[in-house]
């Protein structure tokens, strides 16, 4: 289905939990978030029913996110239910990768097609500092497990932060030179705990690695090819390069609110709706997508939620 600005909306990002086993400094407060009761978050059946309704509206790609989707009890059942919906061509997850050593193979068997793994530093001490509790080696083992389980075209998400990982840009680009993966640099957004003092524009990647040549865009990412290797580099620049014109997505939060835009305060409650009523609510959500966000002008997001509550 098209929104009122002629954008074809075919992508749903579904947050399956607010909880996470990490506490990344730009995403979550140190104390984490209050655990909600079971009844407050979407059940496995509700998740599947919402995706079925979205599929009837033209959604063919679903991404499960969070919080950390792999800490959600029932994640494999959610995957199985969504993978069985005929209109859904691609089921992806965005994960911090730490639980992939145990879950990569079961996820693949449950019908997950592709993974994005978030990793902001390749240095063990920095990693533990940034995540407050994590160990880099778990994520590296998780990446191996994903490859062994048969996941192809895995993307690596790196949030750019001045004074934290800008000196590692060439090391990350080197991964794209050595392996057939897409390394995506994401501009830090002033949402949740994101500190605008640490903002670094995506252009910094092109300055640090002048051998990158532009190729075609993919969705909201501008893409580049290094002079050697099979990998790619992507820049996701919500701040310095408006990407709203290519936005093809809607989001649903773990407590069942449809967000037409990550940075807009509009939320449409979906819980308790079924059949035609649910379908009409999803259609209203798509129609309600605003033309663009105003973060670059205002310096803040109107979202009203942290990233772990929406799904990045
Ligand atoms: N826990 C999973 C993970 O880390 O991949 C999924 C949820 S996390 C909220 C999704 C993505 O949002 C991650 O790649 C994370 O780095 C990104 N993110 C969180 N806060 C952000 C911010 N303020 N600006 C830019 N990206 C952010
Ligand atoms: Fe957890 Fe992902 Fe947020 Fe880090 S970015 S605290 S891993 S939800």
């Amino acid at each position: 289905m098209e929104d009122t600005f002629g954008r074809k909306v075919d992508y749903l990002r579904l947050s399956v939990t607010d909880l996470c086993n990490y506490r990344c400094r730009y995403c979550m407060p140190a104390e984490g978030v209050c655990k909600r009761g079971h009844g407050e978050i979407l059940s496995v059946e509700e998740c599947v029913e919402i995706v079925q309704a979205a599929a009837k509206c033209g959604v063919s790609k679903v991404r499960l996110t969070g919080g950390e989707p792999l800490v959600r009890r029932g994640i494999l059942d959610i995957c199985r239910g969504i993978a069985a919906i005929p209109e859904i061509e691609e089921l992806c997850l965005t994960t911090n990768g730490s639980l992939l050593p145990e879950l990569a193979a079961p996820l693949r068997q449950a019908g997950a097609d592709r993974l994005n793994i978030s990793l902001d530093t390749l240095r063990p001490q920095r990693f533990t500092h940034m995540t407050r509790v994590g160990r880099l080696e778990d994520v590296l083992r998780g990446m191996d497990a994903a490859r062994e389980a048969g996941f192809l075209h895995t993307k690596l998400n790196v949030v750019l932060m001045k004074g934290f990982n800008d000196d590692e840009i060439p090391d990350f680009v080197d991964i794209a030179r050595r392996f057939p993966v897409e390394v995506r640099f994401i501009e830090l957004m002033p949402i949740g705990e994101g500190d605008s003092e640490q903002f670094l524009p995506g252009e910094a990647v092109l300055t640090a690695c002048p051998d990158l040549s532009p190729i075609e865009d993919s969705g909201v990412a501008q893409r580049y090819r290094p002079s050697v290797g099979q990998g790619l580099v992507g820049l996701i620049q919500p701040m310095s390069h408006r990407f709203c014109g290519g936005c093809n997505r809607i989001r649903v939060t773990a407590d069942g609110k449809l967000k037409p835009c990550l940075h807009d305060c509009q939320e449409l409650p979906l819980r308790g709706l079924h059949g035609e009523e649910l379908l009409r609510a999803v259609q209203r959500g798509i129609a309600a997508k605003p033309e663009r966000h105003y973060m670059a002008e205002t310096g803040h997001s109107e979202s009203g939620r942290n990233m772990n509550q929406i799904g990045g």
Side-chain angles (χ1 to χ4, degrees):
M1 174 179 162
E2 283 190 0
D3 70 2
T4 48
F5 300 97
R7 294 171 298 199
K8 187 174 165 215
V9 176
D10 56 9
Y11 179 15
L12 167 65
R13 295 174 74 107
L14 174 62
S15 173
V16 293
T17 179
D18 294 349
L19 301 177
C20 186
N21 54 340
Y22 285 178
R23 301 277 180 274
C24 300
R25 288 172 188 273
Y26 56 84
C27 177
M28 280 238 200
E31 63 278 13
V33 291
C34 294
K35 196 166 181 212
R36 298 183 199 235
H38 268 315
E40 291 177 68
I41 62 163
L42 293 172
S43 66
V44 172
E45 294 73 24
E46 285 174 310
C47 288
V48 175
E49 204 181 346
I50 286 171
V51 178
Q52 282 166 338
K56 289 203 180 98
C57 298
V59 164
S60 57
K61 174 175 171 180
V62 175
R63 177 174 302 282
L64 302 181
T65 177
E68 173 49 44
L70 302 193
V71 304
R72 165 71 201 251
R73 205 184 298 160
I75 185 66
L76 297 175
D77 292 330
I78 294 174
C79 287
R80 273 190 282 270
I82 295 174
I85 301 171
E87 294 91 342
I88 300 304
E89 293 164 12
E90 200 179 14
L91 172 60
C92 312
L93 290 93
T94 296
T95 170
N96 63 30
S98 61
L99 299 175
L100 285 174
E102 304 88 71
L103 283 173
L107 280 172
R108 189 83 189 104
Q109 280 153 17
D113 295 303
R114 233 178 27 74
L115 299 173
N116 282 12
I117 299 179
S118 304
L119 179 59
D120 302 322
T121 173
L122 298 167
R123 306 202 185 167
Q125 283 182 349
R126 275 190 192 178
F127 184 86
T128 300
H129 174 78
M130 173 51 73
T131 59
R132 292 191 176 105
V133 288
R135 291 188 317 172
L136 176 63
E137 64 186 81
D138 294 338
V139 181
L140 299 180
R141 281 198 302 122
M143 290 166 72
D144 286 342
R147 202 178 45 248
E148 282 159 20
F151 281 104
L152 298 175
H153 309 297
T154 298
K155 292 178 184 161
L156 208 60
N157 284 350
V158 185
V159 177
L160 282 169
M161 282 168 279
K162 188 160 64 188
F164 173 70
N165 60 4
D166 39 354
D167 56 344
E168 294 187 61
I169 293 172
D171 298 341
F172 275 111
V173 171
D174 223 35
I175 294 177
R177 294 195 188 95
R178 289 169 38 219
F179 302 100
V181 296
E182 182 169 333
V183 179
R184 301 184 133 198
F185 292 95
I186 303 171
E187 287 180 346
L188 181 68
M189 295 180 281
I191 179 170
E193 311 290 308
D195 172 5
S196 47
E197 296 281 301
Q198 282 193 304
F199 174 78
L200 192 66
E203 287 288 320
V205 174
L206 305 179
T207 309
C209 301
D211 73 313
L212 296 175
S213 326
I215 59 166
E216 78 284 358
D217 295 353
S218 165
V220 295
Q222 284 72 57
R223 294 195 304 171
Y224 300 82
R225 194 182 291 288
S227 53
V228 292
Q230 295 167 29
L232 297 177
V233 170
L235 299 185
I236 301 186
Q237 304 175 83
M239 301 300 290
S240 54
H241 183 290
R242 281 198 202 117
F243 65 170
C244 305
C247 183
N248 59 347
R249 62 198 60 183
I250 49 171
R251 295 164 190 269
V252 174
T253 62
D255 58 353
K257 308 275 170 48
L258 188 155
K259 282 188 83 69
C261 170
L262 170 60
H263 298 297
D264 193 280
C265 60
Q266 284 188 93
E267 296 188 349
L268 288 80
L270 299 182
R271 292 198 86 185
L273 304 180
H274 304 280
E276 275 299 309
E277 261 186 346
L278 179 59
L279 186 66
R280 278 200 298 277
V282 175
Q283 287 167 339
R284 274 200 302 279
I286 294 175
K289 273 180 75 60
E291 187 176 15
R292 50 170 289 219
H293 68 67
Y294 294 89
M295 265 189 315
E297 290 91 333
T298 62
H300 65 270
S301 169
E302 302 289 335
S303 181
R305 289 179 183 243
N306 278 15
M307 278 296 256
N308 69 293
Q309 297 174 308
I310 311 169

